[in-house]
Amino acid sequence: MKKIYYLLLLALPLVLQSCFKDDDDIFDKSASQRMEERLVHDQQVLMGATNGWIMEYFPEKKQSYGGYTMFVKFGDNNAVTVASEKGKADQTETSMYELIADSGPVLTFNTHNSLFHYFSDPNNPDEIGPIDSGMGGDYEFMVIEATPEKVHLKGKKTGNTIIMTPIATDTSWPDLMQKYIDMADIMNSAASSFNFTMGDLKATATMNYRTLLFSYPGTEGYESATASFRVTTDGIVFYTPLHIGGKEITGMKYIGEDENMVITLADETTGATMQDTWPALSEIFFSGKWYFAKSLMSSYGQNLWTSAIKKLYADPSGYYDIYWAHMGVYSGLYGFCFAPLDTPSTFARSIISYKYGTVDDNQIWLQLEGRTDQIGITYVNAGVSEILKMIGSLGGEKKTFTLTADNPKNPTVIQLQDNDISANSFMLVPVSYTHLRAHET
């Protein structure tokens, strides 16, 4: 029996040796030869798309900013031409690329291109992301598979899947890119909140950059789902399918915008719809600072404003002026806030408080409350009381206004129309510029 054991032990190294053959014995060619052939093949595929590729690009390893579309065309001498929806439709920039050997083929965009490296520069031009990493995108990609129909890349840093598909030879880059930009503009104009409906399931979705966070009632309390998306020419497509209510949604088509500027997207397969929801104009007004400009007032308001400034200048106790004024919150109070000095490092300011409320989505009421500080008391007594007449009765009665805006979703101008005095109307803007100073003529 011992002899049998010895024979088995002697035979074992021969068996193992036959199993562990060199790599070169398994393949007809060496690893370096195979890599070289793979690089040549991938290079031919990249250059084979004579009108370039649509690149579905997702920066940041968790796709927090969503995805973006770029066009890339690989040419001779390692030149690559890039267009991006973050640029203009007819804008391109050419830089250098290289296919290099690593653990596999790697495509690297190795000279700076402001369009391509927008997503990977540590200091993003639009200040998106941390100041030391920007949007955290890739500029080096492992080539997983390359065919004339599709190139599958994987970001070396993020691990994100990047897909490229060829652009038809008869397609104009500017025309096609404009369609992506137009759809991006539509999504940018949408509210940050959506109502999502799919059969009996009702959910809310909050949009941050190009990521949607869904929240909906489940069997054990509220459930959530997150989906990052890229804008297409006719809607949005998710990085990975959205799983919600037992259904899978890969993307949603843009249906249109109704007369109330509500945007609707839908998925035909599941019947799901999503509509953006906006706060009422009255809510927008009370939640921000809205600045006065004399040139944006009716003659009724301009006369009151002129009267106030003349009284301020004529006051014997000192020189007074108002350099800007807005309706908003200051020092815990809501009301007429103004700056009497034009010294940026020591801006003095004061507020004369008003009570306020909403009548409906587009109507508000204001009522002089009169809480203020010593600066406010001085200015009211010196002439600012004239200005207050157009905002609210000095007797303390409520004054109601109807609000209108240039864009109910994202207004740059809100007009207040006095419901009792038709001659009294004025427009307010969200930013105070030097040429919009309250005392302008």
Side-chain angles (χ1 to χ4, degrees):
M1 181 65 70
K2 289 183 179 180
K3 292 182 178 178
I4 296 175
Y5 288 148
Y6 292 148
L7 290 172
L8 288 174
L9 289 172
L10 289 170
L12 186 58
L14 297 174
V15 174
L16 292 175
Q17 187 177 13
S18 65
C19 292
F20 293 104
K21 290 187 176 181
D22 289 339
D23 197 41
D24 292 339
D25 292 334
I26 298 174
F27 298 97
D28 294 335
K29 300 175 183 178
S30 68
S32 60
Q33 287 177 313
R34 294 196 307 276
M35 176 61 74
E36 183 61 31
E37 289 180 357
R38 174 71 187 277
L39 292 173
V40 171
H41 169 267
D42 291 352
Q43 179 85 26
Q44 290 173 343
V45 169
L46 293 177
M47 296 182 64
T50 56
N51 199 25
W53 302 83
I54 296 173
M55 175 181 270
E56 303 170 8
Y57 184 100
F58 282 80
E60 210 275 326
K61 61 183 178 181
K62 294 183 179 179
Q63 305 90 47
S64 301
Y65 306 111
Y68 299 83
T69 299
M70 289 188 282
F71 299 162
V72 291
K73 185 178 186 300
F74 301 93
D76 295 330
N77 301 317
N78 283 6
V80 59
T81 300
V82 179
S84 170
E85 61 168 283
K86 297 301 291 183
K88 297 178 181 178
D90 59 354
Q91 181 182 357
T92 62
E93 187 172 330
T94 300
S95 53
M96 305 300 291
Y97 79 97
E98 192 174 2
L99 270 173
I100 60 176
D102 199 335
S103 55
V106 169
L107 172 63
T108 174
F109 293 77
N110 53 3
T111 63
H112 191 266
N113 185 305
S114 64
L115 294 175
F116 193 92
H117 291 91
Y118 172 93
F119 305 99
S120 58
D121 280 347
N123 189 8
N124 180 267
D126 293 323
E127 300 182 350
I128 301 174
I131 59 173
D132 60 347
S133 58
M135 297 178 74
D138 291 285
Y139 61 89
E140 293 185 317
F141 308 88
M142 294 178 284
V143 183
I144 307 301
E145 183 182 20
T147 68
E149 294 74 35
K150 183 176 76 172
V151 175
H152 177 188
L153 305 173
K154 184 177 181 180
K156 280 196 69 176
K157 180 172 65 175
T158 65
N160 290 345
T161 296
I162 310 294
I163 299 298
M164 297 198 305
T165 52
I167 302 173
T169 55
D170 59 349
T171 297
S172 160
W173 272 32
D175 291 347
L176 181 58
M177 183 57 74
Q178 188 62 57
K179 293 179 181 179
Y180 283 100
I181 292 174
D182 289 345
M183 193 66 235
D185 288 342
I186 290 171
M187 291 304 298
N188 290 339
S189 73
S192 59
S193 298
F194 292 82
N195 287 329
F196 176 92
T197 303
M198 186 176 66
D200 295 332
L201 188 148
K202 309 291 183 184
T204 59
T206 302
M207 182 170 64
N208 185 31
Y209 293 104
R210 293 184 178 180
T211 296
L212 290 163
L213 175 61
F214 295 83
S215 178
Y216 55 97
T219 54
E220 299 180 0
Y222 270 79
E223 298 181 11
S224 63
T226 302
S228 296
F229 66 87
R230 181 180 62 88
V231 168
T232 66
T233 58
D234 60 357
I236 62 175
V237 61
F238 297 121
Y239 177 72
T240 57
L242 167 66
H243 293 94
I244 185 169
K247 300 288 182 67
E248 180 179 283
I249 302 175
T250 58
M252 305 189 82
K253 300 296 184 184
Y254 173 65
I255 303 304
E257 187 176 68
D258 65 15
E259 65 277 5
N260 296 317
M261 302 179 74
V262 175
I263 289 173
T264 300
L265 296 105
D267 174 51
E268 184 177 353
T269 303
T270 62
T273 60
M274 194 166 68
Q275 295 182 315
D276 65 336
T277 61
W278 287 87
L281 191 55
S282 55
E283 183 181 343
I284 294 174
F285 178 76
F286 285 128
S287 64
K289 295 179 180 179
W290 293 89
Y291 287 81
F292 290 88
K294 186 178 176 183
S295 61
L296 300 179
M297 301 173 189
S298 65
S299 58
Y300 178 91
Q302 288 183 356
N303 291 337
L304 290 173
W305 205 274
T306 300
S307 174
I309 298 302
K310 286 182 177 179
K311 288 183 178 182
L312 289 175
Y313 273 90
D315 191 279
S317 59
Y319 174 84
Y320 300 95
D321 201 348
I322 294 177
Y323 284 88
W324 57 253
H326 67 73
M327 296 300 295
V329 175
Y330 172 66
S331 192
L333 300 174
Y334 180 84
F336 177 79
C337 180
F338 64 96
L341 299 177
D342 192 25
T343 307
S345 60
T346 58
F347 251 178
R349 64 188 68 185
S350 182
I351 189 166
I352 300 156
S353 69
Y354 276 76
K355 294 180 179 179
Y356 63 96
T358 60
V359 178
D360 56 32
D361 287 352
N362 298 308
Q363 293 191 84
I364 63 169
W365 59 266
L366 297 170
Q367 183 179 24
L368 179 64
E369 183 181 36
R371 296 168 64 187
T372 188
D373 55 17
Q374 188 56 50
I375 294 176
I377 293 171
T378 301
Y379 270 73
V380 168
N381 291 336
V384 167
S385 57
E386 292 293 297
I387 296 173
L388 301 183
K389 291 178 183 178
M390 73 183 215
I391 305 169
S393 169
L394 297 182
E397 295 84 10
K398 290 182 179 178
K399 183 181 281 290
T400 61
F401 295 89
T402 297
L403 307 180
T404 55
D406 59 336
N407 182 342
K409 289 184 173 184
N410 187 25
T412 58
V413 174
I414 293 182
Q415 176 173 298
L416 281 74
Q417 173 62 58
D418 192 326
N419 289 344
D420 296 320
I421 304 174
S422 60
N424 182 26
S425 67
F426 49 95
M427 297 181 184
L428 304 180
V429 293
V431 178
S432 176
Y433 299 99
T434 54
H435 69 277
L436 289 179
R437 285 174 175 170
H439 67 287
E440 69 178 356
T441 57

